Amino acid sequence: MEQLETTLAAIAGTDTIEAVEALRVSALGKQGWVSALLKSLGGMSPEERTSTGPRIHAAREAVTAALAERRAALEGAALEAKLAAETADLSLPAPAAPRGSVHPVSQVMDELAEIFADMGFAVATGPEIEDDWHNFTALNMPETHPARAMHDTFYFPDTDAQGRSMLLRTHTSPVQIRSMLAEGAPLRVIAPGRVYRSDSDATHTPMFHQIEGLVIDKGIHLGHLKWTLETFLKAFFERDDIVLRLRPSYFPFTEPSVEVDVGYTLVNGKRVVGGGGDVPGGGWMEVLGSGMVNRKVIEFGGLDPDEWQGFAFGTGVDRLAMLKYGMDDLRAFFDGDVRWLGHYGFGALDVPTLSGGVGVRA
Ligand code: 2NL
């Protein structure tokens, strides 16, 4: 069969899958020569069919096998060529894995906990949904006290089981009241956390972060307060030239009460904490409120004020973060913009330690 030899030779000579396919169509396709021979069997005598039939079927099988073999060989060669051409350049940098960052507020809260832990303070936490006894009454702000109006409070519509109004805490002071009641004296705690006031403009957000500290012991006086705050501010701002000025003020929960100003100097027109104060080019800025704990508050905390005294202080964590790391818009803190976080955020391993520095950035 001449056509068989020609076809087998042609298949062996193909060098593309397309050429193999064309030969399959020309032999086995509807119009192909093998199909034509198979059709011709119908017009043959039984004797002729018996002698010719097996040869035609054998030809079809030979063509089918040759096509499959050639196709497999060409596909194998194509794969080999592709593998040979593709190389992995191991000197290229690996694609960067997406990384989150630690929010400056979280970083500063960790720094504060580290600094105060070194002075023997424990971290206390408490509920953000409070009752008005823990948030106001126990802090010497009874029902009609004008200071209550200073706090624009978010109230819940319902009272608790004891008939107390429920609210979003306006400061972290209720946490310290709970610490006094639960732990007694002596006591050294800081209470960092979220607080809420119905207040919103360029410098106030309805939720912000506060940290308060409370020391209760025997013979505590304003000297302890000033030393503690000075030591804290030196560690936090990582400068030894911190100067403080205590100014008389008023808070219902402390008596006497003082505002704490820290000296600043101007660097490129920006106020930077450290140095300054009453010198040319320097000035004072308020960073904390504080005072000796009011006798009534010590009583509300379940302690005898003739036996125990203490000092307390409070400040805004968001503002401390802005002062230390130089952001100038408070609202960006709560926008959740990853570009802002990429710039001001901290790596998860920038853990503050007093030996390594509290504000190290990777
Ligand atoms: C401020 C001022 C202050 C306190 C908070 C306090 C807590 C207890 C007893 C007495 Cl349990 N005082 N806290 C005292 C003075 C000032 O915060 O400017 N905060 C942002």
Side-chain angles (χ1 to χ4, degrees), residues 103-221:
H103 195 284
V105 170
S106 303
Q107 175 75 14
V108 166
M109 297 239 235
D110 287 350
E111 293 176 18
L112 297 170
E114 181 74 23
I115 292 165
F116 281 104
D118 207 52
M119 291 193 271
F121 286 73
V123 173
T125 56
E128 289 176 27
I129 296 173
E130 267 292 2
D131 57 72
D132 73 348
W133 188 87
H134 286 93
N135 193 81
F136 290 129
T137 311
L139 286 145
N140 190 35
M141 298 160 86
E143 223 63 63
T144 55
H145 199 290
R148 278 207 193 194
M150 286 161 40
H151 295 221
D152 304 286
T153 311
F154 290 112
Y155 283 96
F156 287 88
D158 298 321
T159 58
D160 72 358
Q162 287 109 329
R164 292 170 177 169
S165 297
M166 299 300 287
L167 46 84
L168 290 177
R169 69 182 184 195
T170 58
H171 46 191
T172 57
S173 316
V175 176
Q176 288 131 281
I177 297 294
R178 290 177 181 278
S179 294
M180 282 163 80
L181 290 168
E183 321 250 333
L187 190 68
R188 274 186 235 177
V189 288
I190 53 164
R194 297 187 188 98
V195 300
Y196 302 84
R197 292 187 198 175
S198 178
D199 207 350
S200 189
D201 59 37
T203 54
H204 297 85
T205 49
M207 186 281 296
F208 60 103
H209 299 85
Q210 202 184 31
I211 181 168
E212 288 193 26
L214 174 70
V215 169
I216 304 279
D217 212 322
K218 292 186 174 171
I220 295 292
H221 55 70

Side-chain angles (χ1 to χ4, degrees), residues 134 138-139 170-178 180 195 197 208-214 216 250-259 286-294 297-298 310-317:
H134 286 93
L139 286 145
T170 58
H171 46 191
T172 57
S173 316
V175 176
Q176 288 131 281
I177 297 294
R178 290 177 181 278
M180 282 163 80
V195 300
R197 292 187 198 175
F208 60 103
H209 299 85
Q210 202 184 31
I211 181 168
E212 288 193 26
L214 174 70
I216 304 279
Y250 173 77
F251 300 109
F253 23 87
T254 46
E255 180 62 30
S257 303
V258 291
E259 308 271 8
E286 186 196 323
V287 286
L288 293 131
S290 66
M292 302 309 295
V293 181
N294 191 302
V297 175
I298 291 183
F311 68 80
F313 55 90
T315 188
V317 176

Side-chain angles (χ1 to χ4, degrees), residues 95-101:
R99 258 198 303 174
S101 60

Side-chain angles (χ1 to χ4, degrees), residues 276-287:
D278 293 318
V279 298
W284 298 101
M285 70 171 112
E286 186 196 323
V287 286

Side-chain angles (χ1 to χ4, degrees), residues 291-308:
M292 302 309 295
V293 181
N294 191 302
R295 291 174 59 84
K296 290 187 197 153
V297 175
I298 291 183
E299 269 172 15
F300 279 123
L303 299 169
D304 177 357
D306 288 326
E307 195 182 349
W308 301 102

